[in-house]
Amino acid sequence: MIGHHQEKEQMVTIEWAPLSAADLPAIADLARRCLAHDGGLPATTSPSFLERRYAAGPGVGAYAGGRLVACAAARPAGQATAVTGLVDPAHRGRGLGSGLLDRLADGPVRLETESLTPEADALFRARGFRRTFAEDVLRRDLARPLPDAPLPRELAVEEWSPATEELFHAAYSASFADRPGFPGWSRQEWVDWLVDDEFLPGCSLVARTADGAAAGFVACAEGFLIQVGAVPSWRRRGLARALAVAALGRMRAAGATEVFLDVNENNPASAALFRGLGFEPVARRARYES
């Protein structure tokens, strides 16, 4: 059980205390300060995201002058414990990250970060954790002009609907089956993962050939490009680029001013595609395991 105690660091008194649901507003303020400094996805400061990360298991907070300046929480993750934390940029370099790990990193642990910094990477590695996953978060300002990227004339494009759901899944499966770690999800598993309250069916498009075969797809949520793929026979023909531009145009027409996406660090082809469309890296998400 985490108990109250105090310690002084560089003339600043730090009080450690357990987190509770009542701390979520303070956690949200801390998350916004970290986002402004480190970059990343705005969604990581949303109430629903923070509740999933910081109210699903035991947590600990560090307070300076009554203000939350660091926090972390643990939650079950299979055979391991997933730990997520935040340290106020104004209080870094004072051992708060180590203090969080000392209080929560026990047994098999998976550390998760939404905006990896060099200092966090060094701390995690020094504590014996190895990085097992990383992806870059990219952002595009939709006020900037979109490039010209026409869809191939021999393809027809349709929006997401119950009637096209199966075609979307076929495009998804064929596009990503050769990627490392492809989960091989069934149609229902993929749809359950993809579709939520923020999903944008009118901006999610699937391309098919004249005989009805899937050629590629793009799936979108509010302010986010979730997935873009082209089946192997349609790669290097500009299809993924054209679908992405078409989706971005629809999102802008619907009122979006910016769009984010993430690209795995071992997928340089996709990174090059999106950089060519005007996306710029703003953060790196990562996972470490003991």
Side-chain angles (χ1 to χ4, degrees):
M1 183 69 180
I2 301 169
H4 283 266
H5 72 281
Q6 295 183 340
E7 56 190 55
K8 289 189 176 181
E9 296 174 333
Q10 298 184 4
M11 305 302 293
V12 176
T13 299
I14 298 296
E15 180 181 78
W16 295 92
L19 293 177
S20 71
D23 294 302
L24 284 172
I27 296 171
D29 286 341
L30 174 58
R32 286 190 286 268
R33 298 197 297 274
C34 292
L35 178 67
H37 185 273
D38 302 325
L41 293 171
T44 60
T45 66
S46 70
S48 60
F49 178 89
L50 295 174
E51 185 172 2
R52 291 195 303 271
R53 291 296 187 273
Y54 293 95
V60 61
Y63 296 81
R67 188 187 199 195
L68 184 68
V69 295
C71 67
R75 67 185 192 281
Q79 300 300 313
T81 298
V83 174
T84 307
L86 298 164
V87 177
D88 191 317
H91 289 265
R92 292 176 184 173
R94 299 175 179 176
L96 295 180
S98 291
L100 294 172
L101 290 177
D102 289 341
R103 289 163 173 80
L104 289 177
D106 185 27
V109 168
R110 185 177 77 199
L111 302 179
E112 299 174 345
T113 175
E114 298 297 324
S115 296
L116 180 66
T117 65
E119 295 76 15
D121 178 73
L123 171 63
F124 299 157
R125 293 182 186 277
R127 297 292 290 263
F129 290 88
R130 57 186 178 86
R131 194 165 77 197
T132 56
F133 168 82
E135 62 184 11
D136 291 321
V137 178
L138 283 68
R139 174 189 179 274
R140 193 190 197 282
D141 182 352
L142 286 181
R144 297 170 52 199
L146 294 171
D148 184 30
L151 288 156
R153 292 183 178 180
E154 60 267 43
L155 295 179
V157 175
E158 299 182 49
E159 298 178 357
W160 179 282
S161 72
T164 60
E165 193 176 282
E166 184 174 353
L167 186 63
F168 267 90
H169 180 254
Y172 154 76
S173 298
S175 297
F176 297 136
D178 57 355
R179 292 287 301 152
F182 177 66
W185 283 334
S186 68
R187 171 180 164 183
Q188 192 59 53
E189 287 172 324
W190 182 62
V191 170
D192 288 344
W193 171 82
L194 181 69
V195 178
D196 58 18
D197 291 342
E198 296 183 344
F199 182 68
L200 297 176
C203 299
S204 300
L205 308 171
V206 64
R208 60 172 176 79
T209 62
D211 62 1
F217 81 106
V218 56
C220 305
E222 293 181 14
F224 201 83
L225 209 61
I226 306 172
Q227 290 180 320
V228 183
V231 306
S233 61
W234 277 93
R235 292 174 185 167
R236 293 176 292 277
R237 298 169 68 174
L239 177 57
R241 176 183 173 89
L243 286 168
V245 170
L248 293 175
R250 290 184 177 220
M251 295 172 79
R252 181 168 65 185
T257 58
E258 62 181 359
V259 175
F260 292 83
L261 57 82
D262 37 43
V263 179
N264 196 291
E265 65 174 345
N266 67 4
N267 192 355
S270 289
L273 165 68
F274 293 121
R275 286 174 187 260
L277 292 177
F279 282 86
E280 299 176 346
V282 294
R284 170 164 283 196
R285 305 176 66 230
R287 184 164 61 239
Y288 293 72
E289 296 182 21
S290 56

